């Protein structure tokens, strides 16, 4: 594939941003059906809010 395919692969594998503060998410820790926290920012978010943009 050309460089266009590689660029889109990189974008698809990039971690999502925190829906609260906008920082990149490294880890999502789910502690209940409606409770999760993201790292490294530490924001509390519902797990359903954290998703990749496809």
């Amino acid at each position: 594939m050309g460089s266009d395919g590689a660029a889109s692969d990189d974008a698809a594998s990039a971690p999502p941003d925190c829906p609260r503060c906008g920082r990149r998410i490294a880890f999502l820790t789910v502690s209940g059906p409606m409770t999760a926290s993201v790292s490294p920012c530490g924001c509390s978010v519902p797990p359903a809010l954290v998703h990749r943009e496809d």
Side-chain angles (χ1 to χ4, degrees):
M1 273 190 182
S3 62
D4 290 356
S8 64
D9 289 345
D10 290 343
S13 65
D17 295 332
C18 174
R20 298 240 186 242
C21 70
R23 291 181 60 188
R24 284 278 181 212
I25 294 174
F27 297 97
L28 171 68
T29 304
V30 178
S31 54
M34 298 299 290
T35 309
S37 62
V38 293
S39 296
C41 61
C43 293
S44 294
V45 296
L49 284 182
V50 179
H51 60 86
R52 292 180 187 257
E53 296 293 327
D54 291 330

